[in-house]
Amino acid sequence: MIELIKGGLILVGAIFMFLAALGLVRMPDLLTRMHATTKAATLGASLIMLAVALHFAEVAVVARAFGVILFIMMTAPVAAHVIGRAGYFVGARLWSGTVKDELRPNYDPLTHELKSGLETHENAKRHPRDTDPD
């Protein structure tokens, strides 16, 4: 029975990894590619690590497998967000079917300055510090 569960976890994990690779090839722009690959690859890798934990059934291996799963689930969304944001800032082209661009009104491509939309004139003023170079 445990062999069947391990095989099922590996198979489903491999299918999710395949879907992540397919999304990378088929999606039209950086942001949708990031969306497709991050979720599917995280789930696929997590399922495969669960199969590894079941296969070895030792405390050290199970702890490491869950550590890897936790690390992937904590870092993958943050990394995808940062990569997507960096891609937007360097001018990665959006898909022609993109409906909403929430950064456009707050981002200045000339200065690469992003405003939160909550600035007042007083907050937007730059106050030089003594430690700033001249």
Side-chain angles (χ1 to χ4, degrees), residues 3-102:
E3 295 294 325
L4 191 63
I5 293 173
K6 288 188 295 190
L9 286 172
I10 290 174
L11 181 65
V12 174
I15 289 171
F16 274 107
M17 298 295 270
F18 174 73
L19 289 175
L22 190 63
L24 187 64
V25 174
R26 296 284 301 163
M27 292 294 156
D29 67 349
L30 173 71
L31 299 179
T32 54
R33 287 179 185 152
M34 295 298 299
H35 177 77
T37 57
T38 302
K39 292 176 181 171
T42 298
L43 188 56
S46 298
L47 291 175
I48 291 173
M49 291 310 295
L50 280 177
V52 167
L54 284 175
H55 178 74
F56 288 103
E58 295 176 10
V59 174
V61 175
V62 171
R64 287 182 184 139
F66 279 105
V68 168
I69 291 170
L70 184 67
F71 181 76
I72 290 172
M73 289 201 172
M74 287 176 58
T75 58
V78 175
H81 176 80
V82 170
I83 292 170
R85 188 178 172 118
Y88 184 88
F89 288 166
V90 297
R93 198 169 49 122
L94 296 178
W95 177 45
S96 60
T98 300
V99 176
K100 194 171 189 178
D101 184 2
E102 292 182 347

